[in-house]
Amino acid sequence: MPPPQEEQQQPHRPQGGRRPRPPPAPPPMAYSDDMVAFYDAWVGREEQIVADLTAALALPPRRQRDALAPLVDAAVDHVAAYYEHKARLADRDVVAALDPRWLNPLERTFLWAWGWKPALVFRFVEAGGGGGGMGPAQRRALEDLRAATAAAERGVDREVAAAQESLAGPRVLAALRRQAPRDGGEADDAVAEVGRSLRVLLGAADALRERTLRGVVGLLAPDQAGAFLAAMLRFHLGVRRAGRDWSPGHRGV
């Protein structure tokens, strides 16, 4: 007598024939809350960096160079850390990255392509006192960098305008109309494509900001770079404090 045929194992299904649902993704607000906590701590570190730079700039010239070199590197790395953390947020939730609620209203007035305008850093070369000691070759290189930055900004402006037009395109608008709020379904291909484009654009704008900062620092001597960075970061901290202390009932005169 032939052996009984083995029964084919059927995949287990819950009662009712429904497939188990995947675990819910963390709410987008959790990602944004993480950025808020990061930014608060980041600003605290920035205050210490400015204090260290200010103290080093007050040293005698012979001691100043050795003290400033690592502080300049630390300041540039500090700024880069912000862009790196924001990039991780954008990878998880690009919409949260495009809505920087960790910034106060006054900080938001300086936004260009979701961050500081790269050309703004050139103002702090003179403001920090480093511009006075620059030689002709330094000034020519700085002007070349300024021109290249302005051209790159115009390119980003065009990309931002194109992204805005894409958001108002018929395929995207039709997809948004079809989407029920909180339905948990996958976004329409058109919406997802715009999201990917925005993520790339945000990364390009932040890369330009960081590249411009590193370019300016690379053209300056340690004492000039220290004065430049101290002036730039001090300005940011002033904007941060003013925006934090600004009350809704305040009226300027």
Side-chain angles (χ1 to χ4, degrees), residues 9 15 99 131 148 151 248:
Q9 293 185 350
Q15 291 183 357
D99 180 26

Side-chain angles (χ1 to χ4, degrees), residues 78-162:
H78 171 74
V79 176
Y82 172 72
Y83 297 135
E84 290 169 5
H85 201 86
K86 189 166 70 164
R88 289 195 290 271
L89 169 64
D91 287 338
R92 296 176 294 183
D93 185 355
V94 70
V95 174
L98 298 175
D99 180 26
R101 68 185 190 91
W102 55 91
L103 303 179
N104 62 47
L106 185 56
E107 287 176 295
R108 284 174 178 242
T109 64
F110 289 89
L111 289 182
W112 170 88
W114 312 287
W116 292 79
K117 193 174 179 67
L120 188 62
V121 303
F122 294 97
R123 295 174 180 255
F124 301 107
V125 177
E126 300 290 346
M134 293 179 64
Q138 277 182 305
R139 289 196 175 278
R140 284 194 299 271
L142 192 67
E143 288 306 312
D144 289 344
L145 179 60
R146 192 198 302 265
T149 299
E153 285 179 347
R154 291 192 292 271
V156 172
D157 283 334
R158 290 191 293 268
E159 292 296 328
V160 170

